[in-house]
Amino acid sequence: MKIDRHRARLALLLPALTGIGLLAGGLMLLPKEREILPAVRRAQPVPFSAARSSMPAPASPVLPPAHPSITAQIATADAATLATLTTRLIAEGQPVSTLQVAYDLVDAKRPAVALDYLAARPDGATAATWRLRIDLLHRTGRVANAAALVARAVEQRGALPAADIVAAAYAIDRPDLVIVAAANHVIPPPDTALALDLARRADKAGRRDLIALLDTATTANWRAADPWLAIRVAARSKDTAAGLRAAGYLPVEQRQAAREAILTEAGDRAGLRTELLADAAAPGAPLEQIAERLVAAGYRGDATAVLRRAAAGLAPTAPAAQRLLYLMGPRPGSDDLAWLKQQSLQGSATRQRSWLACYAERDQPGAALAFVSRHPLADETDVMLMRLSLARAAGKDAAGRTVLTALLDGRALSPDQVRAVSAAAPARIDPAQAATITKRRVAAGIAGPRDQLDLAWVAWNTGDAKAAGQWLDAHLATAPTDLPALRLMADVQTRIGGVRSARPWLERALAQTPADSRARAEVLEKLGRRGRQ
């Protein structure tokens, strides 16, 4: 009976041809159809395709055809009977091959009998049958025996083809034995593809020892082929230097992030800081992004230094500048303050004012007042308002009065600027300055409820009854029941036109005074009335 030798040979090599999934299973597909034997004899073993190994393939044996008397008993006879028959036929000079008979038994789906038959034959344990024996042991569930057979083969170099050893180790899902074989020089050093596959399997199994052994067995650079695998392996071994070297094999755009992740995972804060600062020093570096990574790593000071570079020449409203100001906080250090001063002296006047305001908000009021007062824009209105506010915050009334005098000396002020002057005026100012501020509020249309009354008192106290009356008229137009204003108006009218002129105002004041009050008694007294009429 003829069998499909070509398919049988391919079946023995199938784990090497079909990739990781079938390699893990290690099951052999046997032929269902038969082809002529010469095709088998011409077939060459296929190299291990998953690794594209460069190891030379062994030559296929040339097998004689099966003897008819043996072919007739393949489906029924036991191993001992077939072995005896083989011995007799050979003794009679018949060209019978032990390997051929074993293949016939496999084709007849009798793997256990084929295995026993090989064990009964004196040439059944040769290198020619080794690969088939591994397959038969695996197929019959004797995986441990198959592994032991491969393990013995990888201890020292022998007659077995390297490709057979690799294929057998993969077939029983023991790629670790391939590494051992390479380390013992039983097979040639794995090339890059095979080394990479072995490294991946060792990593998946958590066998760092096998990866270390693989590195002694080959110079193939599997790390360059899969840098992320190399990085994982280095991380598990806590080998930061190896991880950083592996990151160098990544695409350029991924390297920096990988290096930072490696250092972070390793807890090497100093190394991470050095890495980030070196990255920031490179031309065209994304400074804002690097600054954020420095902040995340706990290096706030370094982050502000990087952002100072990013914000140089920009307005304070730029995103980099805004982030910088936030990181500086309300009271920055001397380096940040010096940088803010420098920015306030560069660029357009508008940019200088903006940065000057940022600086003034963050330095001590006294120190800020001294710098702002020396600034080239010190006499500009908005800068003078800044100086006035700083003087008040620093408690420097004399300096504040000096600035206030300059601001009120005929300088045009917007309503908002007048409000700012009022708010930042020194705690102690001259009455004339106070009156001028109040007049500015009135003129700007932002007068408070009692500003005109205050001005009326200023005019009255300086002897200008006419001006006092004018301010009172304006005030009483909006506050006609204001008792203090009515009484003052009565006094003003007395001075201008006598008692008769004052009487209407006294009557209006009387209507606003509470009963049984001292104010009511005083108004009645001025009206010349006795009692409380």
Side-chain angles (χ1 to χ4, degrees), residues 9-46:
R9 289 291 292 175
L10 292 179
L12 296 177
L13 294 172
L14 186 59
L17 295 172
T18 54
I20 293 174
L22 289 178
L23 286 171
L27 297 176
M28 307 300 177
L29 298 178
L30 293 178
K32 294 183 179 179
E33 299 177 356
R34 298 176 182 178
E35 296 179 358
I36 59 174
L37 185 60
V40 177
R41 294 168 181 160
R42 293 193 300 270
Q44 296 294 319
V46 181

PDB file of all heavy atoms in Angstrom, residues 9-46:
ATOM      1  N   ARG A   9       6.014  14.133   5.162  1.00  0.00           N
ATOM      2  CA  ARG A   9       7.190  14.955   5.479  1.00  0.00           C
ATOM      3  C   ARG A   9       6.762  16.378   5.827  1.00  0.00           C
ATOM      4  O   ARG A   9       7.276  16.991   6.760  1.00  0.00           O
ATOM      5  CB  ARG A   9       8.159  14.974   4.300  1.00  0.00           C
ATOM      6  CG  ARG A   9       8.870  13.653   4.069  1.00  0.00           C
ATOM      7  CD  ARG A   9       9.853  13.361   5.181  1.00  0.00           C
ATOM      8  NE  ARG A   9      10.963  14.302   5.152  1.00  0.00           N
ATOM      9  CZ  ARG A   9      11.914  14.336   6.078  1.00  0.00           C
ATOM     10  NH1 ARG A   9      11.870  13.498   7.101  1.00  0.00           N
ATOM     11  NH2 ARG A   9      12.896  15.209   5.988  1.00  0.00           N
ATOM     12  N   LEU A  10       5.839  16.927   5.061  1.00  0.00           N
ATOM     13  CA  LEU A  10       5.371  18.283   5.358  1.00  0.00           C
ATOM     14  C   LEU A  10       4.659  18.321   6.704  1.00  0.00           C
ATOM     15  O   LEU A  10       4.739  19.318   7.430  1.00  0.00           O
ATOM     16  CB  LEU A  10       4.443  18.777   4.247  1.00  0.00           C
ATOM     17  CG  LEU A  10       5.112  19.017   2.894  1.00  0.00           C
ATOM     18  CD1 LEU A  10       4.069  19.486   1.885  1.00  0.00           C
ATOM     19  CD2 LEU A  10       6.239  20.035   3.025  1.00  0.00           C
ATOM     20  N   ALA A  11       3.959  17.224   7.041  1.00  0.00           N
ATOM     21  CA  ALA A  11       3.258  17.188   8.318  1.00  0.00           C
ATOM     22  C   ALA A  11       4.239  17.268   9.471  1.00  0.00           C
ATOM     23  O   ALA A  11       3.969  17.874  10.502  1.00  0.00           O
ATOM     24  CB  ALA A  11       2.420  15.915   8.422  1.00  0.00           C
ATOM     25  N   LEU A  12       5.409  16.660   9.311  1.00  0.00           N
ATOM     26  CA  LEU A  12       6.411  16.704  10.377  1.00  0.00           C
ATOM     27  C   LEU A  12       6.953  18.115  10.586  1.00  0.00           C
ATOM     28  O   LEU A  12       7.401  18.470  11.665  1.00  0.00           O
ATOM     29  CB  LEU A  12       7.569  15.753  10.044  1.00  0.00           C
ATOM     30  CG  LEU A  12       7.191  14.277   9.987  1.00  0.00           C
ATOM     31  CD1 LEU A  12       8.410  13.455   9.581  1.00  0.00           C
ATOM     32  CD2 LEU A  12       6.647  13.810  11.317  1.00  0.00           C
ATOM     33  N   LEU A  13       6.928  18.906   9.520  1.00  0.00           N
ATOM     34  CA  LEU A  13       7.468  20.264   9.610  1.00  0.00           C
ATOM     35  C   LEU A  13       6.377  21.312   9.777  1.00  0.00           C
ATOM     36  O   LEU A  13       6.667  22.498   9.847  1.00  0.00           O
ATOM     37  CB  LEU A  13       8.275  20.584   8.347  1.00  0.00           C
ATOM     38  CG  LEU A  13       9.538  19.758   8.174  1.00  0.00           C
ATOM     39  CD1 LEU A  13      10.149  20.022   6.795  1.00  0.00           C
ATOM     40  CD2 LEU A  13      10.551  20.083   9.256  1.00  0.00           C
ATOM     41  N   LEU A  14       5.122  20.900   9.868  1.00  0.00           N
ATOM     42  CA  LEU A  14       4.021  21.853   9.879  1.00  0.00           C
ATOM     43  C   LEU A  14       4.101  22.866  11.015  1.00  0.00           C
ATOM     44  O   LEU A  14       3.794  24.045  10.805  1.00  0.00           O
ATOM     45  CB  LEU A  14       2.694  21.099   9.946  1.00  0.00           C
ATOM     46  CG  LEU A  14       1.431  21.969   9.811  1.00  0.00           C
ATOM     47  CD1 LEU A  14       1.463  22.717   8.479  1.00  0.00           C
ATOM     48  CD2 LEU A  14       0.183  21.122   9.939  1.00  0.00           C
ATOM     49  N   PRO A  15       4.505  22.452  12.221  1.00  0.00           N
ATOM     50  CA  PRO A  15       4.578  23.479  13.273  1.00  0.00           C
ATOM     51  C   PRO A  15       5.491  24.627  12.911  1.00  0.00           C
ATOM     52  O   PRO A  15       5.286  25.750  13.335  1.00  0.00           O
ATOM     53  CB  PRO A  15       5.103  22.705  14.487  1.00  0.00           C
ATOM     54  CG  PRO A  15       4.718  21.296  14.207  1.00  0.00           C
ATOM     55  CD  PRO A  15       4.826  21.124  12.722  1.00  0.00           C
ATOM     56  N   ALA A  16       6.527  24.341  12.168  1.00  0.00           N
ATOM     57  CA  ALA A  16       7.445  25.415  11.782  1.00  0.00           C
ATOM     58  C   ALA A  16       6.884  26.277  10.682  1.00  0.00           C
ATOM     59  O   ALA A  16       7.357  27.375  10.457  1.00  0.00           O
ATOM     60  CB  ALA A  16       8.767  24.816  11.327  1.00  0.00           C
ATOM     61  N   LEU A  17       5.853  25.780   9.998  1.00  0.00           N
ATOM     62  CA  LEU A  17       5.337  26.511   8.847  1.00  0.00           C
ATOM     63  C   LEU A  17       4.106  27.345   9.159  1.00  0.00           C
ATOM     64  O   LEU A  17       3.772  28.241   8.420  1.00  0.00           O
ATOM     65  CB  LEU A  17       4.975  25.514   7.731  1.00  0.00           C
ATOM     66  CG  LEU A  17       6.136  24.732   7.127  1.00  0.00           C
ATOM     67  CD1 LEU A  17       5.586  23.680   6.195  1.00  0.00           C
ATOM     68  CD2 LEU A  17       7.076  25.672   6.394  1.00  0.00           C
ATOM     69  N   THR A  18       3.427  27.038  10.234  1.00  0.00           N
ATOM     70  CA  THR A  18       2.105  27.625  10.435  1.00  0.00           C
ATOM     71  C   THR A  18       2.054  28.670  11.527  1.00  0.00           C
ATOM     72  O   THR A  18       0.986  29.144  11.868  1.00  0.00           O
ATOM     73  CB  THR A  18       1.106  26.517  10.761  1.00  0.00           C
ATOM     74  OG1 THR A  18       1.601  25.755  11.857  1.00  0.00           O
ATOM     75  CG2 THR A  18       0.870  25.638   9.568  1.00  0.00           C
ATOM     76  N   GLY A  19       3.178  29.064  12.101  1.00  0.00           N
ATOM     77  CA  GLY A  19       3.180  30.186  13.032  1.00  0.00           C
ATOM     78  C   GLY A  19       2.917  29.760  14.453  1.00  0.00           C
ATOM     79  O   GLY A  19       2.811  28.581  14.793  1.00  0.00           O
ATOM     80  N   ILE A  20       2.747  30.756  15.296  1.00  0.00           N
ATOM     81  CA  ILE A  20       2.691  30.555  16.732  1.00  0.00           C
ATOM     82  C   ILE A  20       1.488  29.720  17.158  1.00  0.00           C
ATOM     83  O   ILE A  20       1.573  28.862  18.018  1.00  0.00           O
ATOM     84  CB  ILE A  20       2.668  31.917  17.443  1.00  0.00           C
ATOM     85  CG1 ILE A  20       4.007  32.612  17.226  1.00  0.00           C
ATOM     86  CG2 ILE A  20       2.400  31.768  18.934  1.00  0.00           C
ATOM     87  CD1 ILE A  20       4.048  34.019  17.759  1.00  0.00           C
ATOM     88  N   GLY A  21       0.315  29.960  16.532  1.00  0.00           N
ATOM     89  CA  GLY A  21      -0.883  29.236  16.965  1.00  0.00           C
ATOM     90  C   GLY A  21      -0.728  27.733  16.867  1.00  0.00           C
ATOM     91  O   GLY A  21      -0.986  27.006  17.817  1.00  0.00           O
ATOM     92  N   LEU A  22      -0.284  27.238  15.706  1.00  0.00           N
ATOM     93  CA  LEU A  22      -0.117  25.795  15.549  1.00  0.00           C
ATOM     94  C   LEU A  22       1.113  25.282  16.265  1.00  0.00           C
ATOM     95  O   LEU A  22       1.169  24.136  16.681  1.00  0.00           O
ATOM     96  CB  LEU A  22      -0.052  25.434  14.064  1.00  0.00           C
ATOM     97  CG  LEU A  22      -1.388  25.579  13.322  1.00  0.00           C
ATOM     98  CD1 LEU A  22      -1.200  25.237  11.853  1.00  0.00           C
ATOM     99  CD2 LEU A  22      -2.450  24.691  13.941  1.00  0.00           C
ATOM    100  N   LEU A  23       2.117  26.166  16.418  1.00  0.00           N
ATOM    101  CA  LEU A  23       3.307  25.742  17.153  1.00  0.00           C
ATOM    102  C   LEU A  23       2.940  25.416  18.589  1.00  0.00           C
ATOM    103  O   LEU A  23       3.434  24.461  19.178  1.00  0.00           O
ATOM    104  CB  LEU A  23       4.358  26.844  17.109  1.00  0.00           C
ATOM    105  CG  LEU A  23       5.080  27.007  15.770  1.00  0.00           C
ATOM    106  CD1 LEU A  23       5.934  28.257  15.797  1.00  0.00           C
ATOM    107  CD2 LEU A  23       5.930  25.795  15.470  1.00  0.00           C
ATOM    108  N   ALA A  24       2.072  26.258  19.163  1.00  0.00           N
ATOM    109  CA  ALA A  24       1.678  26.044  20.545  1.00  0.00           C
ATOM    110  C   ALA A  24       0.929  24.716  20.676  1.00  0.00           C
ATOM    111  O   ALA A  24       1.084  23.979  21.641  1.00  0.00           O
ATOM    112  CB  ALA A  24       0.815  27.192  21.048  1.00  0.00           C
ATOM    113  N   GLY A  25       0.068  24.429  19.717  1.00  0.00           N
ATOM    114  CA  GLY A  25      -0.686  23.174  19.774  1.00  0.00           C
ATOM    115  C   GLY A  25       0.182  21.972  19.498  1.00  0.00           C
ATOM    116  O   GLY A  25       0.019  20.912  20.089  1.00  0.00           O
ATOM    117  N   GLY A  26       1.080  22.104  18.558  1.00  0.00           N
ATOM    118  CA  GLY A  26       2.011  21.041  18.243  1.00  0.00           C
ATOM    119  C   GLY A  26       1.385  19.824  17.588  1.00  0.00           C
ATOM    120  O   GLY A  26       1.965  18.743  17.570  1.00  0.00           O
ATOM    121  N   LEU A  27       0.195  19.954  17.047  1.00  0.00           N
ATOM    122  CA  LEU A  27      -0.459  18.798  16.437  1.00  0.00           C
ATOM    123  C   LEU A  27      -0.064  18.659  14.981  1.00  0.00           C
ATOM    124  O   LEU A  27       0.036  19.645  14.257  1.00  0.00           O
ATOM    125  CB  LEU A  27      -1.982  18.939  16.550  1.00  0.00           C
ATOM    126  CG  LEU A  27      -2.531  18.971  17.977  1.00  0.00           C
ATOM    127  CD1 LEU A  27      -4.029  19.207  17.948  1.00  0.00           C
ATOM    128  CD2 LEU A  27      -2.199  17.682  18.701  1.00  0.00           C
ATOM    129  N   MET A  28       0.146  17.446  14.563  1.00  0.00           N
ATOM    130  CA  MET A  28       0.570  17.196  13.194  1.00  0.00           C
ATOM    131  C   MET A  28      -0.631  16.802  12.335  1.00  0.00           C
ATOM    132  O   MET A  28      -1.465  16.017  12.759  1.00  0.00           O
ATOM    133  CB  MET A  28       1.589  16.054  13.148  1.00  0.00           C
ATOM    134  CG  MET A  28       2.749  16.279  14.087  1.00  0.00           C
ATOM    135  SD  MET A  28       3.629  17.792  13.685  1.00  0.00           S
ATOM    136  CE  MET A  28       4.829  17.789  14.987  1.00  0.00           C
ATOM    137  N   LEU A  29      -0.694  17.387  11.144  1.00  0.00           N
ATOM    138  CA  LEU A  29      -1.734  16.990  10.198  1.00  0.00           C
ATOM    139  C   LEU A  29      -1.159  15.895   9.299  1.00  0.00           C
ATOM    140  O   LEU A  29      -0.142  16.103   8.628  1.00  0.00           O
ATOM    141  CB  LEU A  29      -2.186  18.189   9.362  1.00  0.00           C
ATOM    142  CG  LEU A  29      -2.817  19.336  10.150  1.00  0.00           C
ATOM    143  CD1 LEU A  29      -3.170  20.467   9.197  1.00  0.00           C
ATOM    144  CD2 LEU A  29      -4.056  18.840  10.877  1.00  0.00           C
ATOM    145  N   LEU A  30      -1.811  14.776   9.281  1.00  0.00           N
ATOM    146  CA  LEU A  30      -1.314  13.648   8.497  1.00  0.00           C
ATOM    147  C   LEU A  30      -2.123  13.510   7.213  1.00  0.00           C
ATOM    148  O   LEU A  30      -3.251  13.990   7.120  1.00  0.00           O
ATOM    149  CB  LEU A  30      -1.407  12.363   9.325  1.00  0.00           C
ATOM    150  CG  LEU A  30      -0.446  12.362  10.528  1.00  0.00           C
ATOM    151  CD1 LEU A  30      -0.647  11.081  11.323  1.00  0.00           C
ATOM    152  CD2 LEU A  30       0.994  12.487  10.074  1.00  0.00           C
ATOM    153  N   PRO A  31      -1.555  12.861   6.188  1.00  0.00           N
ATOM    154  CA  PRO A  31      -2.198  12.814   4.869  1.00  0.00           C
ATOM    155  C   PRO A  31      -3.438  11.938   4.843  1.00  0.00           C
ATOM    156  O   PRO A  31      -3.556  10.965   5.563  1.00  0.00           O
ATOM    157  CB  PRO A  31      -1.111  12.210   3.973  1.00  0.00           C
ATOM    158  CG  PRO A  31      -0.278  11.403   4.899  1.00  0.00           C
ATOM    159  CD  PRO A  31      -0.260  12.169   6.192  1.00  0.00           C
ATOM    160  N   LYS A  32      -4.356  12.339   3.997  1.00  0.00           N
ATOM    161  CA  LYS A  32      -5.539  11.531   3.740  1.00  0.00           C
ATOM    162  C   LYS A  32      -5.516  10.984   2.320  1.00  0.00           C
ATOM    163  O   LYS A  32      -6.295  10.115   1.961  1.00  0.00           O
ATOM    164  CB  LYS A  32      -6.792  12.361   3.965  1.00  0.00           C
ATOM    165  CG  LYS A  32      -6.985  12.767   5.424  1.00  0.00           C
ATOM    166  CD  LYS A  32      -8.276  13.532   5.627  1.00  0.00           C
ATOM    167  CE  LYS A  32      -8.454  13.887   7.079  1.00  0.00           C
ATOM    168  NZ  LYS A  32      -9.697  14.655   7.317  1.00  0.00           N
ATOM    169  N   GLU A  33      -4.662  11.526   1.479  1.00  0.00           N
ATOM    170  CA  GLU A  33      -4.522  11.064   0.117  1.00  0.00           C
ATOM    171  C   GLU A  33      -3.083  10.608  -0.084  1.00  0.00           C
ATOM    172  O   GLU A  33      -2.180  10.994   0.651  1.00  0.00           O
ATOM    173  CB  GLU A  33      -4.861  12.184  -0.864  1.00  0.00           C
ATOM    174  CG  GLU A  33      -6.295  12.691  -0.718  1.00  0.00           C
ATOM    175  CD  GLU A  33      -6.567  13.844  -1.657  1.00  0.00           C
ATOM    176  OE1 GLU A  33      -5.622  14.275  -2.353  1.00  0.00           O
ATOM    177  OE2 GLU A  33      -7.711  14.307  -1.684  1.00  0.00           O
ATOM    178  N   ARG A  34      -2.880   9.797  -1.093  1.00  0.00           N
ATOM    179  CA  ARG A  34      -1.539   9.259  -1.319  1.00  0.00           C
ATOM    180  C   ARG A  34      -0.982   9.749  -2.645  1.00  0.00           C
ATOM    181  O   ARG A  34      -1.721   9.930  -3.610  1.00  0.00           O
ATOM    182  CB  ARG A  34      -1.587   7.732  -1.330  1.00  0.00           C
ATOM    183  CG  ARG A  34      -2.061   7.191   0.020  1.00  0.00           C
ATOM    184  CD  ARG A  34      -2.208   5.685  -0.008  1.00  0.00           C
ATOM    185  NE  ARG A  34      -2.690   5.200   1.261  1.00  0.00           N
ATOM    186  CZ  ARG A  34      -2.946   3.910   1.519  1.00  0.00           C
ATOM    187  NH1 ARG A  34      -2.771   3.004   0.584  1.00  0.00           N
ATOM    188  NH2 ARG A  34      -3.365   3.555   2.709  1.00  0.00           N
ATOM    189  N   GLU A  35       0.312   9.980  -2.600  1.00  0.00           N
ATOM    190  CA  GLU A  35       1.009  10.379  -3.810  1.00  0.00           C
ATOM    191  C   GLU A  35       2.200   9.460  -3.995  1.00  0.00           C
ATOM    192  O   GLU A  35       2.555   8.683  -3.109  1.00  0.00           O
ATOM    193  CB  GLU A  35       1.449  11.839  -3.708  1.00  0.00           C
ATOM    194  CG  GLU A  35       0.264  12.793  -3.607  1.00  0.00           C
ATOM    195  CD  GLU A  35       0.716  14.234  -3.478  1.00  0.00           C
ATOM    196  OE1 GLU A  35       1.943  14.459  -3.424  1.00  0.00           O
ATOM    197  OE2 GLU A  35      -0.149  15.108  -3.426  1.00  0.00           O
ATOM    198  N   ILE A  36       2.851   9.597  -5.081  1.00  0.00           N
ATOM    199  CA  ILE A  36       3.959   8.695  -5.383  1.00  0.00           C
ATOM    200  C   ILE A  36       5.152   8.980  -4.498  1.00  0.00           C
ATOM    201  O   ILE A  36       5.407  10.122  -4.105  1.00  0.00           O
ATOM    202  CB  ILE A  36       4.357   8.802  -6.874  1.00  0.00           C
ATOM    203  CG1 ILE A  36       4.757  10.237  -7.227  1.00  0.00           C
ATOM    204  CG2 ILE A  36       3.223   8.336  -7.772  1.00  0.00           C
ATOM    205  CD1 ILE A  36       5.294  10.371  -8.619  1.00  0.00           C
ATOM    206  N   LEU A  37       5.896   7.950  -4.138  1.00  0.00           N
ATOM    207  CA  LEU A  37       7.032   8.053  -3.239  1.00  0.00           C
ATOM    208  C   LEU A  37       8.152   8.940  -3.750  1.00  0.00           C
ATOM    209  O   LEU A  37       8.778   9.646  -2.974  1.00  0.00           O
ATOM    210  CB  LEU A  37       7.570   6.644  -2.950  1.00  0.00           C
ATOM    211  CG  LEU A  37       8.688   6.565  -1.914  1.00  0.00           C
ATOM    212  CD1 LEU A  37       8.216   7.093  -0.584  1.00  0.00           C
ATOM    213  CD2 LEU A  37       9.142   5.107  -1.768  1.00  0.00           C
ATOM    214  N   PRO A  38       8.461   8.942  -5.066  1.00  0.00           N
ATOM    215  CA  PRO A  38       9.566   9.805  -5.519  1.00  0.00           C
ATOM    216  C   PRO A  38       9.384  11.267  -5.140  1.00  0.00           C
ATOM    217  O   PRO A  38      10.368  11.975  -4.913  1.00  0.00           O
ATOM    218  CB  PRO A  38       9.553   9.615  -7.040  1.00  0.00           C
ATOM    219  CG  PRO A  38       9.002   8.256  -7.234  1.00  0.00           C
ATOM    220  CD  PRO A  38       7.958   8.093  -6.169  1.00  0.00           C
ATOM    221  N   ALA A  39       8.148  11.741  -5.060  1.00  0.00           N
ATOM    222  CA  ALA A  39       7.946  13.136  -4.669  1.00  0.00           C
ATOM    223  C   ALA A  39       8.412  13.363  -3.243  1.00  0.00           C
ATOM    224  O   ALA A  39       8.953  14.419  -2.910  1.00  0.00           O
ATOM    225  CB  ALA A  39       6.468  13.495  -4.803  1.00  0.00           C
ATOM    226  N   VAL A  40       8.215  12.368  -2.377  1.00  0.00           N
ATOM    227  CA  VAL A  40       8.661  12.491  -0.988  1.00  0.00           C
ATOM    228  C   VAL A  40      10.180  12.513  -0.928  1.00  0.00           C
ATOM    229  O   VAL A  40      10.784  13.294  -0.193  1.00  0.00           O
ATOM    230  CB  VAL A  40       8.115  11.313  -0.154  1.00  0.00           C
ATOM    231  CG1 VAL A  40       8.626  11.381   1.270  1.00  0.00           C
ATOM    232  CG2 VAL A  40       6.611  11.315  -0.202  1.00  0.00           C
ATOM    233  N   ARG A  41      10.775  11.618  -1.721  1.00  0.00           N
ATOM    234  CA  ARG A  41      12.228  11.513  -1.672  1.00  0.00           C
ATOM    235  C   ARG A  41      12.902  12.781  -2.162  1.00  0.00           C
ATOM    236  O   ARG A  41      14.013  13.107  -1.757  1.00  0.00           O
ATOM    237  CB  ARG A  41      12.669  10.321  -2.514  1.00  0.00           C
ATOM    238  CG  ARG A  41      12.201   8.993  -1.927  1.00  0.00           C
ATOM    239  CD  ARG A  41      12.396   7.860  -2.896  1.00  0.00           C
ATOM    240  NE  ARG A  41      11.910   6.608  -2.318  1.00  0.00           N
ATOM    241  CZ  ARG A  41      11.599   5.538  -3.029  1.00  0.00           C
ATOM    242  NH1 ARG A  41      11.705   5.577  -4.342  1.00  0.00           N
ATOM    243  NH2 ARG A  41      11.183   4.430  -2.433  1.00  0.00           N
ATOM    244  N   ARG A  42      12.209  13.514  -3.053  1.00  0.00           N
ATOM    245  CA  ARG A  42      12.801  14.769  -3.565  1.00  0.00           C
ATOM    246  C   ARG A  42      12.539  15.959  -2.646  1.00  0.00           C
ATOM    247  O   ARG A  42      13.137  17.002  -2.805  1.00  0.00           O
ATOM    248  CB  ARG A  42      12.222  15.078  -4.956  1.00  0.00           C
ATOM    249  CG  ARG A  42      12.636  14.100  -6.023  1.00  0.00           C
ATOM    250  CD  ARG A  42      12.305  14.652  -7.387  1.00  0.00           C
ATOM    251  NE  ARG A  42      10.875  14.896  -7.537  1.00  0.00           N
ATOM    252  CZ  ARG A  42      10.024  13.982  -7.994  1.00  0.00           C
ATOM    253  NH1 ARG A  42      10.467  12.773  -8.337  1.00  0.00           N
ATOM    254  NH2 ARG A  42       8.746  14.262  -8.118  1.00  0.00           N
ATOM    255  N   ALA A  43      11.572  15.795  -1.700  1.00  0.00           N
ATOM    256  CA  ALA A  43      11.182  16.933  -0.855  1.00  0.00           C
ATOM    257  C   ALA A  43      12.318  17.300   0.087  1.00  0.00           C
ATOM    258  O   ALA A  43      13.024  16.439   0.587  1.00  0.00           O
ATOM    259  CB  ALA A  43       9.944  16.580  -0.051  1.00  0.00           C
ATOM    260  N   GLN A  44      12.479  18.593   0.311  1.00  0.00           N
ATOM    261  CA  GLN A  44      13.476  19.091   1.266  1.00  0.00           C
ATOM    262  C   GLN A  44      12.738  19.683   2.470  1.00  0.00           C
ATOM    263  O   GLN A  44      11.680  20.286   2.309  1.00  0.00           O
ATOM    264  CB  GLN A  44      14.338  20.169   0.612  1.00  0.00           C
ATOM    265  CG  GLN A  44      15.180  19.657  -0.544  1.00  0.00           C
ATOM    266  CD  GLN A  44      16.220  18.674  -0.078  1.00  0.00           C
ATOM    267  OE1 GLN A  44      16.844  18.857   0.961  1.00  0.00           O
ATOM    268  NE2 GLN A  44      16.404  17.600  -0.837  1.00  0.00           N
ATOM    269  N   PRO A  45      13.275  19.540   3.682  1.00  0.00           N
ATOM    270  CA  PRO A  45      12.625  20.141   4.857  1.00  0.00           C
ATOM    271  C   PRO A  45      12.520  21.662   4.689  1.00  0.00           C
ATOM    272  O   PRO A  45      13.434  22.307   4.198  1.00  0.00           O
ATOM    273  CB  PRO A  45      13.571  19.788   6.009  1.00  0.00           C
ATOM    274  CG  PRO A  45      14.322  18.598   5.519  1.00  0.00           C
ATOM    275  CD  PRO A  45      14.460  18.786   4.037  1.00  0.00           C
ATOM    276  N   VAL A  46      11.386  22.203   5.080  1.00  0.00           N
ATOM    277  CA  VAL A  46      11.173  23.649   4.957  1.00  0.00           C
ATOM    278  C   VAL A  46      11.768  24.341   6.176  1.00  0.00           C
ATOM    279  O   VAL A  46      11.516  23.921   7.299  1.00  0.00           O
ATOM    280  CB  VAL A  46       9.668  23.953   4.862  1.00  0.00           C
ATOM    281  CG1 VAL A  46       9.428  25.453   4.716  1.00  0.00           C
ATOM    282  CG2 VAL A  46       9.089  23.195   3.688  1.00  0.00           C
TER     283      VAL A  46
END
